Every structure is written in structure tokens, then in C-alpha cells.
Amino acid sequence: MSADERFVAFVLTTLDTGGAEGQFALLAAALAARGHRVEVTCLGCSSPLATSLRATGVTVYELGARTPSSLRNAWRLVCGFASTVVRWRGDTPRVVHGVLLHGYIFGAFAARLAGVPAVVASRRSLGAFKAHRPLLLGLERLATRCTDVVVANSAAVRQDTLERERLDPAIVRVIHNGLAPFVDVPDARERLRRGLRTSVEMPVAVMVANLIAYKGHDVLLPAWRHVLERHPTAMLWLVGEGPERGRLETLAHTLGIETQIRFAGSRVDVRELLAAADVLVHASREEGFSNAILEGMAAGLPVVATAVGGNPEAVVEGETGVLVPADDAVALASAIDQVIDNSTVSRAWGTAGRARVAASFTIDQMVAAYEMLYAELLIRKGQA
């Protein structure tokens, strides 16, 4: 089968730094490496992720309008939509796969107008954020009528999607996220700690998440004050950037713990940072299926996470880490203390977490699952 006969087109809202964007960049590059012809249409603007995708042989179109938040953006979206339909009519993908809310709405309508055989949409998070957006909810319902399969990245997201959108369970599948192989970096611990003004002896907890409200950093910081009562030299690395940074820096100062926190910002060396830490913490109030948790487990870190969304599908309580209720700073602090206090248990959990990722959450498994889904759809449509 030629590459044109295996033509997959993705539509993403953005190619910014984020879990969903990173997952589908991995998927697109892996499909291209397996002989598929792959195209990505991004509603937003240029980003380093777009550049890295092009280097793997993936064609990337950027429309320069993330959402219709202004007349200029709305016009760019309309023009981009029209040009995408025309392009796909002349060179029709076999599968169009939309990712993130605006991406899968745009992708479904454009695909049907262009006569694309198979249309897939991904749900990557719990749907509470859509509750007070009636226009988008209406467009989503119409787009879903144009969609053959909805893919959730966890059983929790699937259940949430079924309950909120009242879809036929037969069209909603689960394909978990996958990771590329984790390569140990021998000097990471000393080098990264030196760069973040952290001694080799200090216990280090790391949280990798954009600094946005639902990620729960405002719960983690009071929990960290409790941790410091027992472990005064412990250090917390917050990896990520976002609109909550100023408020969190103020909170750290108010709590008197700013000297034991490093706001590391957005980083390209996240895997090395994980290798230099001792425990991964994830304090989110809601979650689809956390890439950060998988990355921490792959790095051999024990995990302390909130028992929300798909987190319990990744973390095995008492085997790879500890699950705590959301918005409970005391329980979060106690679990972190447990890991720091017992190095034997924490090492065992880290080893078990790494084995779990290797067994269940690899990029090869994820890519194979999507290839099987696309092939099944095309057979059903008589397009195989």
C-alpha cells in the first residue's frame, strides 16, 4: 500500500507545549516513520513543535487563528477552513483525526465537506470546562454527528464523555497515551540540581504541569509547608509556565517557603529533570490521563497523585505510588512524607512504575492501536 493510500490528516487547536499536543506530535511522527503520509493542520500560530514535526517528514499547515476570539481570528479561521476543504477535495486524506475542542469541530466539518472517508475525534480531558459554553457545545454535537469514532485517552474520560454527551457507547473507544523509550542520563542528577540551586543531598519533589488553576499548585504549596516541618531541606521543583505563576510566587512568599521552591518554567529537558528528582507529585483537581505521571514513572520515580480522572489507571496504589483526594493539602503532605521517609519503598515503587510503563504505555502500543482503529474504520467504509 502506498503512502497516499495511508494518508492521515490531524487537526489540532494548537501546537503549544502541552500533553495533548506532545502526544499527537509523537503519534504523527511515528506514523510517518511507519510509511504513512501525515499532515497536521494547526489552528494556531508557529511553534517549535511545528518545526520539529516538519523535520520528521510531517507536513504542517498553520492557520494563525487559535480560536475566533476576534474578528481577525474569526476571518482567518473562515479562510483556513475554506482552504482546508479545497485542499482535501483535491488531495483527500483517508482519515481525518481532530484533537482538542476547536480542532475536532473544525476537522469534522471540513472532512465531511471534502468527502473524507473516516473521521476521528479525540477527547483528552474531562468535559467540565465546556459546561457554560453553549455555542461550542452545540457545534460539538453537530461535529460529533459527522464523526465515526471518538477516542478517549482513559476510561475515566470515556465515562465522562458518555455521560455529558450521551453518545452511543459503541463509538467511544479508549486508547491510552504512550511514551517514547526513556534513556537514562548518567550526569543529570548532579548537573540539573546544580542548575536549579539544589544540593545532591536534598530530597526533591517535582511537579510537571502548566501553571493553571485546575492543576492544584495552590494546594501543593500549603502541603509543601507541612512537608518542610519534617524535612526542612526538601526542595520542590515546579516545571511549567502559565497565568497562575505570579499568584503562586506570592503564595509561596506568604507561606514563607519560597527558598525551598524553584519555579523552573517551561523546559525542553523535562526527562532529565525527572531523572534528577526523587518523587513526582501531581496535585491536579481534574485530569484526563496525565503524561507527566507516565513520564515520572518511566524515570523510575514513585508518584504521589490525586485520585482524579485517569490517574488511578496509571498509578497503582501501594505499588507504584500513593493516591490522595484532590484539594487535601494534609493528605498530600502525608503521602510525600511517606515517600521521603522510606527510601526502600520509594525505590521499589519507582522500579515498579518503570516496569508498568514499559509493559502498558509505550509509544509503539499507542501507535499500533491507532493504526488498527484507522484500518478498521476504512474496512467498515469499504475503503480498505
Side-chain angles (χ1 to χ4, degrees):
M1 186 181 291
S2 70
D4 282 350
E5 292 175 308
R6 307 171 76 193
F7 180 14
V8 180
F10 293 99
V11 181
L12 280 79
T13 306
T14 80
L15 283 171
D16 297 337
T17 300
E21 294 87 345
Q23 278 289 298
F24 281 88
L26 280 174
L27 176 58
L31 289 171
R34 293 185 181 209
H36 295 264
R37 182 177 162 208
V38 183
E39 168 192 301
V40 172
T41 296
C42 174
L43 307 189
C45 300
S46 182
S47 72
L49 197 52
T51 302
S52 64
L53 270 174
R54 290 188 177 103
T56 68
V58 174
T59 301
V60 180
Y61 296 92
E62 296 164 283
L63 305 186
R66 177 174 176 171
T67 63
S69 55
S70 66
L71 285 176
R72 176 179 291 183
N73 273 356
W75 177 245
R76 285 175 176 169
L77 272 180
V78 169
C79 293
F81 183 84
S83 66
T84 301
V85 172
V86 169
R87 185 174 74 249
W88 286 350
R89 280 183 173 174
D91 184 16
T92 308
R94 307 279 278 167
V95 177
V96 164
H97 188 154
V99 183
L100 303 175
L101 179 60
H102 295 87
Y104 61 70
I105 291 173
F106 181 107
F109 292 146
R112 287 311 183 209
L113 288 173
V116 174
V119 180
V120 179
S122 279
R123 301 294 191 269
R124 309 292 300 174
S125 63
L126 305 181
F129 75 97
K130 298 181 288 189
H132 303 294
R133 306 172 81 176
L135 176 59
L136 280 174
L137 281 172
L139 289 171
E140 180 184 60
R141 290 190 188 101
L142 291 173
T144 301
R145 293 180 185 176
C146 303
T147 300
D148 297 300
V149 171
V150 172
V151 180
N153 62 348
S154 70
V157 169
R158 179 180 186 273
Q159 186 60 36
D160 182 79
T161 299
L162 291 174
E163 291 173 359
R164 290 180 186 277
E165 301 182 38
R166 304 185 184 280
L167 303 182
D168 178 356
I171 74 164
V172 186
R173 309 283 187 88
V174 174
I175 298 178
H176 284 121
N177 297 353
L179 291 186
F182 197 98
V183 179
D184 286 317
V185 182
D187 68 337
R189 187 175 181 90
E190 182 176 345
R191 177 167 48 82
L192 270 295
R193 286 183 175 229
R194 184 170 60 249
L196 287 169
R197 307 186 314 283
T198 305
S199 74
V200 175
E201 297 79 20
M202 287 178 173
V204 172
V206 58
M207 180 168 172
V208 181
N210 290 326
L211 304 182
I212 51 183
Y214 78 85
K215 290 295 185 180
H217 296 87
D218 58 332
V219 179
L220 176 56
L221 295 193
W224 195 246
R225 183 176 64 176
H226 290 304
V227 171
L228 292 174
E229 291 172 2
R230 292 191 58 187
H231 306 279
T233 66
M235 185 68 72
L236 174 63
W237 295 344
L238 300 179
V239 181
E241 199 54 83
E244 291 289 296
R245 178 160 182 163
R247 190 169 78 89
L248 293 171
E249 289 177 332
T250 299
L251 178 58
H253 178 75
T254 301
L255 293 170
I257 59 174
E258 68 270 29
T259 62
Q260 298 309 118
I261 296 178
R262 299 289 181 261
F263 286 86
S266 183
R267 305 278 296 228
V268 297
D269 57 350
V270 171
R271 287 193 163 194
E272 292 188 12
L273 283 167
L274 292 171
D278 298 304
V279 54
L280 180 92
V281 180
H282 198 73
S284 189
R285 294 182 170 91
E286 61 178 77
E287 200 68 43
F289 193 72
S290 170
N291 290 311
I293 287 177
L294 292 188
E295 294 271 11
M297 290 165 62
L301 295 181
V303 176
V304 173
T306 48
V308 299
N311 289 355
E313 295 169 49
V315 180
V316 180
E317 174 75 29
E319 183 178 319
T320 66
V322 184
L323 294 167
V324 301
D327 282 313
D328 190 334
V330 174
L332 189 61
S334 178
I336 296 170
D337 282 336
Q338 181 183 350
V339 172
I340 294 175
D341 286 338
N342 197 327
S343 59
T344 301
V345 169
S346 66
R347 280 195 298 269
W349 286 353
T351 299
R354 176 172 283 188
R356 178 164 171 74
V357 170
S360 303
F361 303 114
T362 68
I363 185 67
D364 287 342
Q365 289 167 315
M366 181 182 76
V367 174
Y370 279 111
E371 284 185 312
M372 288 178 62
L373 174 63
Y374 299 157
E376 176 191 325
L377 281 175
L378 292 171
I379 290 170
R380 189 194 309 169
K381 300 278 187 171
Q383 296 288 325

